[in-house]
Amino acid sequence: MKRILLLGGVGDALRIARRLGPAHIYSLAGLGKVPSDLRCQVRVGGFGGAAGLASFIRAQGISLLLDITHPYAAQISRNAAQAAEDAGIPCWALRRPGWQPGPQDDWRTVNDWDELSLALHAFQRPFFTLGREPLQHLDTIPAGQFWTIRMLDEHPGNARARVIGNRGPFSLDEERDLFAAGNFDVLISKNSGGDATEAKLQVARERSLPVLILARPELPEVDRTFVSCDALWQALPDGLG
Ligand code: NAP
């Protein structure tokens, strides 16, 4: 009988976790909501790097590690690959394909915050959908810019920034209203892939807005990769429920 450790923190992982029975463990970093209605075990918080994760795998008798973390959560994915190798078990990962620009899109890739802040000079009303990182720069927003930052939790803004705490998925109509009310002139996004937060890109297209895309991090090689949650579930043995 396989015992699975599922590393999660995104909707796809929760979809798999809902199908797992009490022998299996669903692990979360602790940033978002912790579900209380699952049949599998749920644990929250870091393991203490790859070595801590390998010890956990051995201590719990885990026989398969599933990495279904966010494509930008590169540290835990590196730890997962290393720990599985050290513990001698396979690691399977969901590697969600990125979004692709269409012919009418003006997407510009930036590799880090420095490149992003240079590219931002041309704009006045950026809309950030990168998570928490812009909060570190609230005190250095140039005069003449007003930032809107959307992230999971509420946070105070200031005279040059508004922070919106909201969790996706976001509908096309919600995004259209937000872009119109905020009068944004540029969207800043990760290339997360999936459909939960894709509507903002459609609205940027409709409004002919440029999109500054933070480049995806390199992720490690693992034993098997899947591009969809369904494909991964179908590859798992029967009887996990
Ligand atoms: P990260 O930089 O790759 O990981 C930082 C540390 O957080 C890891 O070294 C690990 O601590 C702990 N950690 C991360 N995921 C964990 C999990 N599922 N179970 C237990 N510990 C975990 O990750 P991040 O970018 O901060 O993201 C944290 C979580 O939020 C991930 O689960 C990710 O799927 C989710 N998330 C991230 C993003 C994003 O854009 N980065 C977006 C949506 C959701 P130890 O080294 O101590 O084990």
Side-chain angles (χ1 to χ4, degrees), residues 166 169-179:
N166 203 350
F170 303 105
S171 73
L172 203 46
D173 283 341
E174 276 175 287
E175 296 294 54
R176 283 183 179 133
D177 290 348
L178 182 66
F179 275 66

Side-chain angles (χ1 to χ4, degrees), residues 124-136:
Q124 282 82 49
R125 297 188 65 84
F127 176 38
F128 290 85
T129 59
L130 290 177
R132 303 181 62 82
E133 188 168 3
L135 296 183
Q136 296 167 32

Side-chain angles (χ1 to χ4, degrees), residues 132-148:
R132 303 181 62 82
E133 188 168 3
L135 296 183
Q136 296 167 32
H137 307 276
L138 285 183
D139 295 335
T140 56
I141 299 175
Q145 275 188 1
F146 185 86
W147 293 9
T148 302

